[in-house]
Amino acid sequence: MAAGLSSILALGIIERDTNSDVMLTWSYPIIDAEVEKVLLSRANLAGDFVPFTFSKFNNQWIYIVSTPVEHEEEEPTDEEEEDKLSNDTGKEYSGPLGRVEAFSICMLCKDYNPEMYATLCKLFVDVYKKTGTPINVLQGFLRVLTSGKVGDFDQEDFPARDALLATSIKDIIKIFGIEIILLWTALMMKKRVVVYCDKSSTLLRVIRSFPLFIWHRRDWDLLHPFTNMVRTLFFVHHLLM
């Protein structure tokens, strides 16, 4: 019997309803308030969210797949018009997710494997879109925990080594040119490297290649794909004092 995917610590669903409210509507097991705030921020359903992101918080990898929910426009009845005037709960469409405009499937995991967890999250996205209930998502989640397989997903199709080599180091050298020496030196000396990019997909593709420059360490835990500058500036300030 195949081993289960026990590296998943928690699963959550974040929704933006038709009243533009964003909240964590379901999780298994319970996600604490501190982590919930991080998930809400990184899913960014209130703004211009991206289809897939991965990041890290408290030594846990966070994988988030977000998607809009498409609804067919319907002519409101007189009763619906009256309800709209009398309450502010937002419009309700027909279908399993009638009050949802967009949602995210979030996973907290022990290990680094963006492609594997993106595939699994997308599978749960499809399930939730069709059914509108977390019960079906939970069933799939428990199945993959125990067997490592659910639907078309099989953890054996996603070797950890493939995740480490997903970005070509040659492409990154072309981007930085001769200045790649500075990056290599910083990584060899275990220095902090801050990377800024206005496009998250490009940022994630670039920084996941950094550990390749110090392949002998095989350490992808050094990556922090999303972070604020408060802690970094704190260290810089004290270095300059």
Side-chain angles (χ1 to χ4, degrees), residues 8 10-12 61-63 105-109 117 120-121 124:
I8 306 177
L11 179 69
W61 286 98
I62 299 173
Y63 302 95
I105 296 290
C106 311
M107 279 188 184
L108 298 174
C109 305
Y117 292 113
L120 187 55
C121 284
F124 290 147

Side-chain angles (χ1 to χ4, degrees), residues 2-10 29 107-111 116-117 120 141-149 153 155-156:
L5 194 58
S6 58
S7 56
I8 306 177
L9 301 173
M107 279 188 184
L108 298 174
C109 305
K110 298 177 184 177
D111 60 340
M116 179 173 72
Y117 292 113
L120 187 55
F141 178 55
L142 295 177
R143 189 172 295 117
V144 81
L145 279 181
T146 55
S147 68
K149 299 179 181 180
F153 174 85
Q155 65 172 331
E156 299 296 332

Side-chain angles (χ1 to χ4, degrees), residues 57-71:
F57 180 73
N58 284 350
N59 294 320
Q60 297 177 358
W61 286 98
I62 299 173
Y63 302 95
I64 302 176
V65 170
S66 303
T67 183
V69 179
E70 297 179 357
H71 299 289

Side-chain angles (χ1 to χ4, degrees), residues 16-23 84 87-93 98-101:
R16 185 184 76 211
D17 63 22
T18 53
N19 205 35
S20 297
D21 294 323
V22 178
M23 64 185 71
K84 186 176 180 181
N87 63 67
D88 58 353
T89 57
K91 185 174 181 178
E92 182 173 4
Y93 297 90
R99 288 191 180 274
V100 179
E101 287 185 340

Side-chain angles (χ1 to χ4, degrees), residues 66-233:
S66 303
T67 183
V69 179
E70 297 179 357
H71 299 289
E72 293 184 4
E73 288 294 334
E74 301 172 346
E75 288 294 329
T77 63
D78 293 339
E79 185 177 342
E80 288 174 337
E81 286 289 353
E82 291 178 5
D83 289 341
K84 186 176 180 181
L85 293 173
S86 61
N87 63 67
D88 58 353
T89 57
K91 185 174 181 178
E92 182 173 4
Y93 297 90
S94 60
L97 293 172
R99 288 191 180 274
V100 179
E101 287 185 340
F103 70 91
S104 301
I105 296 290
C106 311
M107 279 188 184
L108 298 174
C109 305
K110 298 177 184 177
D111 60 340
Y112 172 85
N113 198 326
E115 284 70 32
M116 179 173 72
Y117 292 113
T119 301
L120 187 55
C121 284
K122 289 174 183 176
L123 187 150
F124 290 147
V125 162
D126 292 339
V127 170
Y128 194 57
K129 265 189 176 181
K130 291 177 182 177
T131 64
T133 171
I135 295 175
N136 298 83
V137 176
L138 178 59
Q139 289 174 344
F141 178 55
L142 295 177
R143 189 172 295 117
V144 81
L145 279 181
T146 55
S147 68
K149 299 179 181 180
V150 59
D152 295 330
F153 174 85
D154 186 344
Q155 65 172 331
E156 299 296 332
D157 295 334
F158 301 92
R161 182 181 174 85
D162 288 357
L164 305 184
L165 301 174
T167 298
S168 170
I169 194 171
K170 293 181 180 179
D171 293 340
I172 306 306
I173 293 174
K174 289 179 181 178
I175 292 174
F176 288 96
I178 191 66
E179 293 182 353
I180 199 68
I181 296 173
L182 300 177
L183 175 62
W184 175 78
T185 303
L187 292 170
M188 286 294 292
M189 297 178 68
K190 298 184 179 181
K191 299 296 183 181
R192 294 172 184 265
V193 178
V194 178
V195 181
Y196 172 80
C197 183
D198 57 2
K199 191 175 181 181
S200 62
S201 58
T202 303
L203 172 68
L204 295 176
R205 185 178 71 86
V206 169
I207 68 166
R208 67 184 297 181
S209 71
F210 286 5
L212 293 174
F213 290 93
I214 45 174
W215 176 256
H216 59 285
R217 293 180 189 158
R218 305 287 178 92
D219 183 13
W220 264 253
D221 286 334
L222 60 84
L223 297 178
H224 292 270
F226 279 85
T227 186
N228 58 44
M229 295 296 292
V230 174
R231 188 176 179 186
T232 304
L233 293 177

